[in-house]
Amino acid sequence: MKKFAAFLALAMLLTALFACSAQAATTIKIGHVLNTDHSWHKCLTGFAADVNKATKGGVEIKIYPSGQLGNEKDMVEGLAMQTIDGGLIGGGSFQPVEPTAGIEALPYAWPTHEAAYKAYDGELGNAILGKLEKKGIVGLAWWENGFRNITNNKRPIVKPEDLKGIKIRVTPDKMRLDTFNTLGSTPMPIAFGELYSALQQGVVDAQENPYAIIYSNAFYEVQKYLSISNHIWGSALLCINKTVWKKLSAADQKAVLTAAKKWCKIQRDMTKKDEADCLAKLKAKGMKVNSIDVKAFQKAVAPVWKKYESEFGKDTIDLVRKYGK
């Protein structure tokens, strides 16, 4: 009986230890606003699987696409307040908590994807991450949204004057509004989830987004012209709130960072491939595609650079110029 009692006690102890171990697993909810066929979601799914495997189930990441955790503004606020675990969010959307995050949207700052990667994997990106961490947001890796291009229902956009009088939906950050006001259009901030119906109903004539977003959201159904402007490159920051980050062991933190960087490279490669693929698909859907006069647009947006030099500081603007050569 004594041996049986000892065995029973040991079994109960092991069961308790196993239960405690199971309870120690950390679940991290990560949201984004794009569809499940976009590279963000596909790569987040791979990232989550790698983290789960590397931590032996100790960290479970659940992905919530299509704005299920709110729009990007809501998610940024929640991250700063520590009420949302994590997100994959366009870099410019962090401006309400850290204004320098908006610097990526300087029009025609980045001639190529690679120039932007060097900046965000280097001094510029690290400086922004340091400031965001002080606001309670831990950046894991800079992924990508890609180059934005203009679609509209009025006419091909070849030179800045062609934008005059066109109502264009833009993200609600100040620099984007200033850029399109400077170019002569009428910019209107509309929530992304409402954009298709706004285009369909003529609330706005135009919008600007990367090819993959234009295609995956079927904007070709409600837009006639696609002008290859490449006017802004956009980052995407994979991040979690600081409270969640501190709950992870050093080993689990390392596993998360390793997976984030691995899938960053994959997602960037997918973005570049998607640009070519989606442009071909948009042409096949009947969109009328044209190139623009890049030099004319660069000249037209010079006042935006001058204005924001005083806001961001000459040193920061010079850093953008350094990487954007």
Side-chain angles (χ1 to χ4, degrees):
M1 288 295 292
K2 289 182 179 179
K3 287 182 179 180
F4 178 75
F7 174 80
L8 186 60
L10 178 60
M12 292 175 66
L13 177 61
L14 290 173
T15 300
L17 288 171
F18 178 81
C20 289
S21 175
Q23 290 172 4
T26 301
T27 299
I28 301 174
K29 298 177 181 179
I30 291 182
H32 68 88
V33 298
L34 299 183
N35 295 337
T36 55
D37 60 351
H38 192 274
S39 65
W40 282 15
H41 188 79
K42 293 174 183 177
C43 291
L44 279 173
T45 301
F47 163 71
D50 276 5
V51 169
N52 190 263
K53 181 179 179 181
T55 62
K56 297 179 181 178
V59 179
E60 181 184 11
I61 293 176
K62 294 185 176 181
I63 311 302
Y64 294 81
S66 305
Q68 291 180 40
L69 299 186
N71 60 34
E72 292 197 332
K73 179 178 178 290
D74 294 335
M75 285 194 288
V76 169
E77 289 176 354
L79 281 159
M81 294 172 64
Q82 314 295 290
T83 56
I84 284 181
D85 294 346
L88 180 56
I89 300 169
S93 292
F94 290 91
Q95 289 179 81
V97 296
E98 178 43 56
T100 57
I103 201 165
E104 69 178 37
L106 276 169
Y108 294 99
W110 314 108
T112 63
H113 291 273
E114 288 69 27
Y117 299 162
K118 287 179 181 178
Y120 276 79
D121 293 339
E123 296 171 78
L124 184 62
N126 289 337
I128 296 170
L129 291 184
K131 292 175 180 179
L132 285 173
E133 188 165 357
K134 292 177 181 177
K135 309 293 174 63
I137 301 170
V138 177
L140 305 176
W142 291 105
W143 292 16
E144 179 177 12
N145 199 12
F147 282 103
R148 303 178 81 90
N149 296 278
I150 299 169
T151 69
N152 84 100
N153 273 327
K154 294 290 187 181
R155 52 185 170 265
I157 306 300
V158 178
K159 54 190 184 300
E161 293 86 339
D162 294 328
L163 280 168
K164 187 174 182 181
I166 286 182
K167 296 177 292 183
I168 183 169
R169 179 269 177 185
V170 299
T171 54
D173 58 272
K174 190 171 182 294
M175 190 190 298
R176 195 75 53 86
L177 292 164
D178 286 344
T179 294
F180 280 94
N181 273 318
T182 299
L183 290 171
S185 63
T186 304
M188 299 174 64
I190 293 173
F192 184 78
E194 301 169 10
L195 178 52
Y196 184 96
S197 60
L199 292 167
Q200 187 178 44
Q201 296 166 17
V203 176
V204 287
D205 310 305
Q207 64 86 47
E208 41 95 48
N209 262 303
Y211 298 138
I213 293 178
I214 296 169
Y215 182 76
S216 66
N217 288 275
F219 292 157
Y220 53 80
E221 295 176 348
V222 289
Q223 294 277 267
K224 183 175 181 180
Y225 301 101
L226 167 58
S227 301
I228 304 174
S229 53
N230 287 333
H231 53 285
I232 289 170
W233 174 87
S235 69
L237 184 60
L238 177 58
C239 57
I240 61 177
N241 77 49
K242 202 168 186 177
T243 301
V244 170
W245 183 246
K246 286 183 175 180
K247 288 180 181 178
L248 303 182
S249 68
D252 286 350
Q253 287 180 353
K254 183 178 179 181
V256 169
L257 286 170
T258 298
K261 287 176 171 55
K262 170 189 169 181
W263 285 95
C264 167
K265 173 67 167 61
I266 295 170
Q267 193 271 332
R268 287 174 174 179
D269 288 344
M270 286 179 69
T271 297
K272 289 185 284 188
K273 183 178 183 299
D274 283 347
E275 283 188 348
D277 292 348
C278 290
L279 178 57
K281 290 176 181 177
L282 290 167
K283 288 179 179 178
K285 289 292 185 181
M287 293 200 80
K288 298 184 180 299
V289 179
N290 69 276
S291 298
I292 67 157
D293 184 341
V294 175
K295 288 185 178 179
F297 271 84
Q298 288 174 328
K299 183 178 180 181
V301 298
V304 178
W305 280 69
K306 185 175 181 181
K307 176 178 180 177
Y308 282 88
E309 183 171 306
S310 62
E311 190 163 319
F312 290 122
K314 187 176 184 302
D315 290 347
T316 306
I317 296 291
D318 285 345
L319 195 57
V320 174
R321 291 192 177 103
K322 169 186 169 181
Y323 285 106
K325 289 180 180 177

